[in-house]
Amino acid sequence: MYGKLFIYPAVYSIVISFVNHTNMNIKKILGVILLLLIILIAIVVAKTFTYPFTKVETETPVVTTAPSGTTVSPKALQRFAGGIRIPTVSFVDYSETLFEPFDRFKSYLAESYPEVFRTMDTLTINKYGIVLHWKGKDSSAKPILFLSHYDVVPVADYDPQTLTEDSTAIVFRPEDTPLPPIDTIQTSWTYPPFSGAVAGGRLYGRGSLDMKCMLFSVMEAADTLIAEGY
């Protein structure tokens, strides 16, 4: 009985001592964190006030219209429009994607730019990824990579497989006077989404911006350079 009365106060004393010691350690840790935070804030404030900010001169506004006298090759427009007319639509659900247009597009690209495919090494990845390698004259120089994609997103409530003869009628009027820039959001198609219509200084169709435009720009540039002897 006396032994128990003696042990309990001793254990209690040890526990109290441990708790006090732990609290002191926590306070020290919090104090260090607070000190580091204050130092960090001070550094950020000092850097902000001492950073050598420079005034940026106003740049010349970007010209949104072609310079006077600039013409676009009708052949380039025809090749681009022809690529737009091939409905290479891909879906999130891979099983819904119809791959026949992709096969047709690959053939169309090779037929439209025979010199590019003749000059460059061609590699196909996963059947539909096309890699064109144009070897430079200086093998020690760093390579340049241009890339694009030729699939497009689906058009709401529109099935490209139900195209009629009227909807596929080719509109090609590069001589039209350009229409003013569009400043409103359109709710309907001026021409069918896979028409590749060229009218009013515009080319209409899914992929004309995202992003067959990039692909055909690169192909046209390469074709032109090859013709000039590069």
Side-chain angles (χ1 to χ4, degrees):
M1 186 67 179
Y2 290 108
K4 289 182 180 180
L5 291 175
F6 176 76
I7 292 173
Y8 289 165
V11 172
Y12 176 78
S13 177
I14 294 173
V15 171
I16 293 301
S17 176
F18 174 77
V19 170
N20 290 336
H21 181 71
T22 302
N23 287 337
M24 290 180 63
N25 286 338
I26 293 176
K27 289 180 180 178
K28 288 181 180 179
I29 293 173
L30 292 176
V32 171
I33 293 175
L34 179 61
L35 178 61
L36 291 175
L37 183 60
I38 293 173
I39 294 174
L40 178 61
I41 294 174
I43 292 174
V44 171
V45 172
K47 288 286 187 180
T48 301
F49 282 100
T50 59
Y51 187 83
F53 291 102
T54 56
K55 183 179 179 180
V56 178
E57 298 296 333
T58 303
E59 297 181 357
T60 303
V62 177
V63 178
T64 56
T65 57
S68 177
T70 299
T71 58
V72 179
S73 163
K75 184 177 181 180
L77 279 175
Q78 287 175 339
R79 291 194 281 205
F80 184 19
I84 296 296
R85 294 187 193 107
I86 303 175
T88 49
V89 180
S90 63
F91 293 84
V92 174
D93 185 348
Y94 201 64
S95 64
E96 295 181 20
T97 300
L98 184 64
F99 288 100
E100 184 276 332
F102 288 81
D103 291 318
R104 190 159 23 114
F105 187 89
K106 286 173 56 183
S107 298
Y108 175 80
L109 207 61
E111 293 167 1
S112 299
Y113 301 96
E115 287 303 305
V116 172
F117 280 79
R118 183 188 64 80
T119 303
M120 301 185 188
D121 293 336
T122 306
L123 174 66
T124 302
I125 299 176
N126 290 339
K127 193 175 181 180
Y128 296 104
I130 306 170
V131 179
L132 296 171
H133 179 205
W134 193 1
K135 294 180 180 179
K137 297 177 181 179
D138 183 1
S139 59
S140 64
K142 293 183 178 180
I144 300 176
L145 174 66
F146 297 95
L147 55 86
S148 180
H149 62 81
Y150 61 92
D151 64 321
V152 297
V153 297
V155 181
D157 301 321
Y158 187 89
D159 183 2
Q161 302 310 309
T162 60
L163 297 176
T164 64
E165 187 174 342
D166 291 338
S167 64
T168 57
I170 296 177
V171 176
F172 189 76
R173 303 198 305 266
E175 71 283 353
D176 282 2
T177 300
L179 296 171
I182 296 174
D183 56 4
T184 58
I185 298 176
Q186 294 186 228
T187 58
S188 62
W189 289 87
T190 305
Y191 294 93
F194 295 100
S195 64
V198 176
R202 302 172 183 171
L203 190 151
Y204 295 83
R206 182 68 103 210
S208 55
L209 290 178
D210 184 15
M211 93 174 284
K212 289 179 179 178
C213 59
M214 180 67 176
L215 173 60
F216 281 90
S217 295
V218 172
M219 297 299 288
E220 288 293 336
D223 195 58
T224 300
L225 290 174
I226 290 172
E228 293 177 357
Y230 282 85

